[in-house]
Short mmCIF file of all heavy atoms in Angstrom, two decimals:
data_model
loop_
_atom_site.label_atom_id
_atom_site.label_comp_id
_atom_site.label_asym_id
_atom_site.label_seq_id
_atom_site.Cartn_x
_atom_site.Cartn_y
_atom_site.Cartn_z
N GLN A 1 -34.23 80.36 -35.05
CA GLN A 1 -34.84 81.13 -36.14
C GLN A 1 -36.22 81.59 -35.76
O GLN A 1 -36.92 80.90 -35.00
CB GLN A 1 -34.94 80.29 -37.42
CG GLN A 1 -33.64 79.85 -38.04
CD GLN A 1 -33.86 79.25 -39.41
OE1 GLN A 1 -34.27 79.93 -40.36
NE2 GLN A 1 -33.63 77.98 -39.55
N ARG A 2 -36.62 82.72 -36.29
CA ARG A 2 -37.95 83.19 -35.99
C ARG A 2 -39.00 82.34 -36.69
O ARG A 2 -38.76 81.83 -37.80
CB ARG A 2 -38.12 84.69 -36.38
CG ARG A 2 -38.21 84.94 -37.87
CD ARG A 2 -38.31 86.42 -38.16
NE ARG A 2 -38.62 86.72 -39.54
CZ ARG A 2 -38.59 87.92 -40.07
NH1 ARG A 2 -38.26 88.96 -39.34
NH2 ARG A 2 -38.87 88.10 -41.33
N SER A 3 -40.16 82.22 -36.08
CA SER A 3 -41.28 81.50 -36.66
C SER A 3 -42.29 82.50 -37.22
O SER A 3 -42.37 83.64 -36.75
CB SER A 3 -41.92 80.58 -35.64
OG SER A 3 -41.06 79.54 -35.23
N ARG A 4 -43.06 82.04 -38.18
CA ARG A 4 -44.07 82.91 -38.81
C ARG A 4 -45.46 82.29 -38.64
O ARG A 4 -45.63 81.09 -38.72
CB ARG A 4 -43.79 83.04 -40.32
CG ARG A 4 -42.45 83.64 -40.66
CD ARG A 4 -42.35 83.91 -42.17
NE ARG A 4 -42.72 82.71 -42.94
CZ ARG A 4 -43.47 82.74 -44.07
NH1 ARG A 4 -43.92 83.93 -44.51
NH2 ARG A 4 -43.77 81.66 -44.73
N ILE A 5 -46.41 83.16 -38.40
CA ILE A 5 -47.82 82.76 -38.43
C ILE A 5 -48.42 83.43 -39.65
O ILE A 5 -48.32 84.67 -39.82
CB ILE A 5 -48.58 83.19 -37.15
CG1 ILE A 5 -47.93 82.58 -35.90
CG2 ILE A 5 -50.03 82.77 -37.23
CD1 ILE A 5 -48.60 82.98 -34.61
N VAL A 6 -49.03 82.61 -40.53
CA VAL A 6 -49.58 83.18 -41.77
C VAL A 6 -51.08 82.83 -41.87
O VAL A 6 -51.57 81.90 -41.24
CB VAL A 6 -48.83 82.62 -42.99
CG1 VAL A 6 -47.37 83.04 -42.97
CG2 VAL A 6 -48.97 81.10 -43.12
N ASP A 7 -51.78 83.61 -42.70
CA ASP A 7 -53.20 83.37 -42.87
C ASP A 7 -53.46 82.27 -43.89
O ASP A 7 -52.50 81.64 -44.37
CB ASP A 7 -53.93 84.68 -43.25
CG ASP A 7 -53.76 85.03 -44.72
OD1 ASP A 7 -52.82 84.53 -45.37
OD2 ASP A 7 -54.57 85.83 -45.21
N ALA A 8 -54.70 82.03 -44.22
CA ALA A 8 -55.03 80.93 -45.13
C ALA A 8 -54.44 81.09 -46.52
O ALA A 8 -54.29 80.11 -47.25
CB ALA A 8 -56.57 80.82 -45.21
N ASN A 9 -54.08 82.34 -46.88
CA ASN A 9 -53.49 82.60 -48.18
C ASN A 9 -52.00 82.82 -48.12
O ASN A 9 -51.38 83.23 -49.10
CB ASN A 9 -54.16 83.84 -48.82
CG ASN A 9 -55.65 83.59 -49.09
OD1 ASN A 9 -56.01 82.56 -49.68
ND2 ASN A 9 -56.49 84.54 -48.68
N GLY A 10 -51.40 82.52 -46.99
CA GLY A 10 -49.96 82.65 -46.83
C GLY A 10 -49.45 84.03 -46.47
O GLY A 10 -48.26 84.29 -46.43
N LYS A 11 -50.36 84.96 -46.22
CA LYS A 11 -49.97 86.31 -45.86
C LYS A 11 -49.56 86.37 -44.37
O LYS A 11 -50.21 85.73 -43.52
CB LYS A 11 -51.11 87.31 -46.07
CG LYS A 11 -51.49 87.45 -47.57
CD LYS A 11 -52.65 88.41 -47.76
CE LYS A 11 -53.01 88.56 -49.22
NZ LYS A 11 -54.19 89.48 -49.41
N LEU A 12 -48.53 87.15 -44.07
CA LEU A 12 -47.99 87.19 -42.72
C LEU A 12 -48.95 87.82 -41.73
O LEU A 12 -49.52 88.89 -41.98
CB LEU A 12 -46.65 87.95 -42.73
CG LEU A 12 -45.93 88.02 -41.38
CD1 LEU A 12 -45.45 86.62 -40.97
CD2 LEU A 12 -44.76 88.98 -41.45
N ILE A 13 -49.18 87.15 -40.61
CA ILE A 13 -49.92 87.70 -39.48
C ILE A 13 -48.97 88.29 -38.48
O ILE A 13 -49.12 89.42 -38.03
CB ILE A 13 -50.80 86.61 -38.84
CG1 ILE A 13 -51.83 86.10 -39.86
CG2 ILE A 13 -51.48 87.14 -37.59
CD1 ILE A 13 -52.64 84.92 -39.36
N THR A 14 -47.94 87.51 -38.11
CA THR A 14 -46.91 88.00 -37.20
C THR A 14 -45.75 87.03 -37.20
O THR A 14 -45.82 85.94 -37.82
CB THR A 14 -47.45 88.17 -35.77
OG1 THR A 14 -46.51 88.93 -34.98
CG2 THR A 14 -47.66 86.83 -35.09
N THR A 15 -44.67 87.42 -36.54
CA THR A 15 -43.53 86.53 -36.31
C THR A 15 -43.31 86.40 -34.81
O THR A 15 -43.74 87.24 -34.03
CB THR A 15 -42.26 87.08 -36.98
OG1 THR A 15 -42.03 88.43 -36.52
CG2 THR A 15 -42.39 87.09 -38.49
N MET A 16 -42.59 85.34 -34.45
CA MET A 16 -42.27 85.10 -33.05
C MET A 16 -40.82 84.64 -32.97
O MET A 16 -40.38 83.84 -33.79
CB MET A 16 -43.15 84.00 -32.45
CG MET A 16 -44.64 84.25 -32.57
SD MET A 16 -45.54 82.77 -32.09
CE MET A 16 -44.95 81.58 -33.28
N TYR A 17 -40.10 85.17 -32.01
CA TYR A 17 -38.70 84.79 -31.94
C TYR A 17 -38.09 85.18 -30.58
O TYR A 17 -38.57 86.11 -29.91
CB TYR A 17 -37.89 85.45 -33.04
CG TYR A 17 -38.03 86.96 -33.13
CD1 TYR A 17 -37.26 87.81 -32.33
CD2 TYR A 17 -38.93 87.51 -34.02
CE1 TYR A 17 -37.40 89.18 -32.41
CE2 TYR A 17 -39.06 88.89 -34.11
CZ TYR A 17 -38.29 89.72 -33.31
OH TYR A 17 -38.43 91.08 -33.39
N ASP A 18 -37.06 84.44 -30.18
CA ASP A 18 -36.14 84.90 -29.17
C ASP A 18 -35.03 85.72 -29.82
O ASP A 18 -34.53 86.68 -29.25
CB ASP A 18 -35.56 83.71 -28.40
CG ASP A 18 -36.59 83.06 -27.49
OD1 ASP A 18 -37.55 83.74 -27.09
OD2 ASP A 18 -36.45 81.84 -27.22
N GLU A 19 -34.61 85.30 -31.02
CA GLU A 19 -33.67 86.04 -31.84
C GLU A 19 -34.27 86.16 -33.22
O GLU A 19 -34.63 85.18 -33.86
CB GLU A 19 -32.29 85.31 -31.90
CG GLU A 19 -31.59 85.28 -30.56
CD GLU A 19 -30.22 84.58 -30.69
OE1 GLU A 19 -29.93 83.96 -31.73
OE2 GLU A 19 -29.46 84.63 -29.69
N ASN A 20 -34.34 87.41 -33.73
CA ASN A 20 -34.91 87.65 -35.05
C ASN A 20 -33.93 87.24 -36.12
O ASN A 20 -33.06 88.00 -36.51
CB ASN A 20 -35.27 89.14 -35.16
CG ASN A 20 -35.86 89.46 -36.54
OD1 ASN A 20 -36.43 88.59 -37.21
ND2 ASN A 20 -35.75 90.70 -36.95
N ARG A 21 -34.08 85.98 -36.56
CA ARG A 21 -33.13 85.42 -37.51
C ARG A 21 -33.85 84.59 -38.56
O ARG A 21 -34.82 83.90 -38.28
CB ARG A 21 -32.11 84.53 -36.78
CG ARG A 21 -31.15 83.80 -37.71
CD ARG A 21 -30.23 82.85 -36.95
NE ARG A 21 -29.22 83.57 -36.16
CZ ARG A 21 -29.24 83.60 -34.85
NH1 ARG A 21 -30.20 82.98 -34.16
NH2 ARG A 21 -28.30 84.24 -34.18
N ILE A 22 -33.40 84.70 -39.80
CA ILE A 22 -33.86 83.89 -40.90
C ILE A 22 -32.61 83.33 -41.58
O ILE A 22 -31.87 84.09 -42.22
CB ILE A 22 -34.69 84.68 -41.91
CG1 ILE A 22 -35.78 85.48 -41.22
CG2 ILE A 22 -35.31 83.75 -42.97
CD1 ILE A 22 -36.42 86.56 -42.10
N THR A 23 -32.33 82.07 -41.47
CA THR A 23 -31.09 81.54 -42.04
C THR A 23 -31.20 81.43 -43.53
O THR A 23 -32.27 81.16 -44.09
CB THR A 23 -30.75 80.15 -41.46
OG1 THR A 23 -31.79 79.22 -41.79
CG2 THR A 23 -30.59 80.24 -39.94
N ARG A 24 -30.06 81.64 -44.21
CA ARG A 24 -29.96 81.54 -45.66
C ARG A 24 -28.67 80.82 -46.02
O ARG A 24 -27.64 81.05 -45.39
CB ARG A 24 -29.99 82.94 -46.31
CG ARG A 24 -31.33 83.64 -46.27
CD ARG A 24 -32.29 82.94 -47.25
NE ARG A 24 -33.59 83.60 -47.31
CZ ARG A 24 -34.63 83.29 -46.59
NH1 ARG A 24 -34.55 82.31 -45.68
NH2 ARG A 24 -35.77 83.93 -46.73
N PRO A 25 -28.70 79.95 -47.04
CA PRO A 25 -27.46 79.33 -47.50
C PRO A 25 -26.58 80.39 -48.15
O PRO A 25 -27.02 81.45 -48.58
CB PRO A 25 -27.95 78.30 -48.54
CG PRO A 25 -29.28 78.83 -49.01
CD PRO A 25 -29.87 79.51 -47.81
N LEU A 26 -25.29 80.08 -48.25
CA LEU A 26 -24.35 81.05 -48.82
C LEU A 26 -24.70 81.43 -50.26
O LEU A 26 -24.49 82.58 -50.69
CB LEU A 26 -22.92 80.45 -48.79
CG LEU A 26 -21.77 81.43 -48.84
CD1 LEU A 26 -21.81 82.39 -47.66
CD2 LEU A 26 -20.42 80.66 -48.86
N SER A 27 -25.35 80.51 -50.95
CA SER A 27 -25.75 80.77 -52.35
C SER A 27 -26.84 81.81 -52.43
O SER A 27 -27.09 82.40 -53.49
CB SER A 27 -26.25 79.48 -53.00
OG SER A 27 -27.36 78.95 -52.31
N GLN A 28 -27.53 82.09 -51.31
CA GLN A 28 -28.59 83.10 -51.29
C GLN A 28 -28.15 84.39 -50.55
O GLN A 28 -28.98 85.18 -50.14
CB GLN A 28 -29.86 82.54 -50.65
CG GLN A 28 -30.50 81.44 -51.50
CD GLN A 28 -31.76 80.92 -50.87
OE1 GLN A 28 -32.42 81.61 -50.07
NE2 GLN A 28 -32.15 79.69 -51.22
N ILE A 29 -26.85 84.55 -50.42
CA ILE A 29 -26.29 85.79 -49.87
C ILE A 29 -25.43 86.43 -50.95
O ILE A 29 -24.60 85.74 -51.57
CB ILE A 29 -25.45 85.48 -48.62
CG1 ILE A 29 -26.30 84.81 -47.54
CG2 ILE A 29 -24.82 86.77 -48.06
CD1 ILE A 29 -25.52 84.30 -46.34
N SER A 30 -25.63 87.69 -51.21
CA SER A 30 -24.95 88.34 -52.31
C SER A 30 -23.42 88.20 -52.20
O SER A 30 -22.88 88.27 -51.09
CB SER A 30 -25.34 89.80 -52.40
OG SER A 30 -24.68 90.58 -51.41
N ARG A 31 -22.78 88.01 -53.34
CA ARG A 31 -21.33 87.91 -53.35
C ARG A 31 -20.68 89.16 -52.81
O ARG A 31 -19.66 89.11 -52.12
CB ARG A 31 -20.86 87.66 -54.80
CG ARG A 31 -19.37 87.47 -54.96
CD ARG A 31 -18.92 86.21 -54.26
NE ARG A 31 -17.46 86.04 -54.34
CZ ARG A 31 -16.79 85.19 -53.60
NH1 ARG A 31 -17.42 84.44 -52.68
NH2 ARG A 31 -15.49 85.05 -53.73
N THR A 32 -21.29 90.29 -53.05
CA THR A 32 -20.78 91.58 -52.51
C THR A 32 -20.78 91.55 -50.99
O THR A 32 -19.82 92.05 -50.37
CB THR A 32 -21.62 92.74 -53.02
OG1 THR A 32 -21.66 92.70 -54.46
CG2 THR A 32 -21.05 94.06 -52.57
N MET A 33 -21.83 90.99 -50.39
CA MET A 33 -21.88 90.93 -48.92
C MET A 33 -20.79 90.02 -48.38
O MET A 33 -20.13 90.36 -47.39
CB MET A 33 -23.28 90.39 -48.51
CG MET A 33 -23.47 90.32 -47.00
SD MET A 33 -23.49 91.94 -46.21
CE MET A 33 -22.57 91.60 -44.68
#
């Protein structure tokens, strides 16, 4: 999964990855998908 670097307020600075992936449980994937 890709990692995130965020600032002191949680705002994204950048991401790092070998594969650009963010895992999600099936419950967070639309039924239509």
Side-chain angles (χ1 to χ4, degrees):
Q1 295 191 67
R2 74 182 188 188
S3 294
R4 301 187 309 140
I5 301 179
V6 299
D7 79 340
N9 296 312
K11 296 179 180 178
L12 183 67
I13 297 172
T14 194
T15 54
M16 304 171 300
Y17 54 83
D18 288 335
E19 293 181 350
N20 180 24
R21 176 184 289 110
I22 310 165
T23 63
R24 286 291 183 266
L26 202 59
S27 61
Q28 293 182 24
I29 300 173
S30 76
R31 183 64 183 166
T32 304
M33 181 67 218

